[in-house]
Amino acid sequence: MTKRLFITAALFLSVLNYAQVKTNEPTTPTPTKIKVYTPSGATGSQKTSKDNSYKWDVKTDLFAIVSGEFPLIGEYRFARKFSVEASAGVTYAYLSNNDLFSSNTNSISDNTKAAMGTAFRGTIKFYPSSDYDAIEGWNFGIQVFSKTTNRDYNETGDTGAALNGLKDSKTKTGVSLIIGKQIFQDSNVTFESYLGVGFANIKREYSTLTSGYDNNNNYVTSVGTTTTNETKPNVQLGFRIGFGN
């Protein structure tokens, strides 16, 4: 009996000792989050949120140059769908200020030559396309502008020489609604065409020359200044080329 109890106790202790021995089974590593980096070092999620849209461009207007205006135009995107555009330039009046002006009279001397003037424009533009942010694609805007064209009198006769040194000046100020489309090439060259329709006030200041005899029967010449104002519909066409980023 004693021998059986001894054998049973020994077997029990052996089983208990074996159960307490740690097994060397392989453990499964805890999965870790893998980050994918772009060449610039930003993670994939950061890259997708980055704004790669164009933000600015600088350009000039070829149609304006043909008409005697030489503008430098800058556009900047200040919101996702909105931009502001400003233009400053000089004018060189190829054509006489008599042209396309309904208040034309015989008292205006047309013996003039081209002179320098100024032109300024400011525009707020909205880009509605769901495919592009400002400043790319179709756009609508409101433009205010002021353009002055000057002509110098160029008389050769003794009587008309009194006008020399004076200017024939025409200033056009107004507002237009514009619609246009701007595209960018791979080399960051930008092209834009637009149409503007609105109204303009045209102020004209020109010199008049009056000749005759005074009360003493002396032949005299006098120079005066005439100012006229009129409001007319205004249409603008533009084709611009420039560079942006």
Side-chain angles (χ1 to χ4, degrees):
M1 182 70 177
T2 303
K3 184 177 180 180
R4 290 179 178 178
L5 290 174
F6 177 76
I7 294 173
T8 301
L11 291 173
F12 177 77
L13 291 175
S14 298
V15 172
L16 182 63
N17 182 63
Y18 179 79
Q20 292 178 347
V21 175
K22 296 182 179 179
T23 61
N24 293 326
E25 297 179 358
T27 59
T28 303
T30 303
T32 58
K33 185 177 180 181
I34 299 176
K35 294 183 178 181
V36 179
Y37 288 88
T38 64
S40 61
T43 63
S45 60
Q46 289 174 331
K47 183 180 178 182
T48 56
S49 62
K50 183 179 178 181
D51 184 1
N52 292 318
S53 301
Y54 295 101
K55 295 180 175 63
W56 60 266
D57 67 341
V58 177
K59 49 200 170 184
T60 191
D61 193 323
L62 300 183
F63 278 13
I65 292 175
V66 171
S67 66
E69 179 182 344
F70 302 85
L72 180 63
I73 307 163
E75 184 175 1
Y76 179 76
R77 189 188 75 172
F78 65 89
R80 185 169 177 264
K81 294 293 183 181
F82 289 90
S83 72
V84 60
E85 185 179 87
S87 170
V90 297
T91 61
Y92 191 73
Y94 300 130
L95 301 176
S96 168
N97 282 337
N98 287 349
D99 298 333
L100 303 179
F101 197 83
S102 60
S103 300
N104 193 6
T105 68
N106 293 330
S107 62
I108 305 176
S109 172
D110 201 28
N111 295 324
T112 58
K113 60 183 179 180
M116 304 296 289
T118 57
F120 302 97
R121 302 179 188 272
T123 310
I124 296 293
K125 300 167 73 173
F126 169 63
Y127 289 78
S129 174
S130 59
D131 298 326
Y132 303 99
D133 293 339
I135 52 179
E136 189 173 9
W138 287 99
N139 60 77
F140 302 88
I142 299 177
Q143 181 185 100
V144 294
F145 59 90
S146 175
K147 178 180 178 180
T148 300
T149 54
N150 294 318
R151 301 277 297 182
D152 288 336
Y153 286 101
N154 188 32
E155 296 286 350
T156 56
D158 293 337
T159 301
L163 295 174
N164 292 339
L166 302 177
K167 289 186 181 297
D168 179 348
S169 179
K170 180 171 67 174
T171 300
K172 180 188 292 187
T173 57
V175 59
S176 292
L177 298 177
I178 65 171
I179 177 173
K181 186 175 184 180
Q182 183 160 253
I183 60 175
F184 282 79
Q185 300 297 325
D186 293 339
S187 56
N188 285 8
V189 174
T190 175
F191 297 94
E192 182 184 20
S193 57
Y194 80 96
L195 167 69
V197 178
F199 291 91
N201 176 262
I202 305 174
K203 180 181 179 182
R204 178 83 177 277
E205 292 184 346
Y206 57 88
S207 298
T208 57
L209 190 63
T210 303
S211 300
Y213 293 90
D214 60 13
N215 295 331
N216 297 320
N217 204 30
N218 295 320
Y219 187 80
V220 295
T221 300
S222 62
V223 177
T225 300
T226 300
T227 301
T228 61
N229 281 278
E230 63 177 351
T231 299
K232 298 175 61 178
N234 184 70
V235 177
Q236 301 178 64
L237 293 174
F239 181 75
R240 297 164 169 181
I241 182 172
F243 174 85
N245 199 355

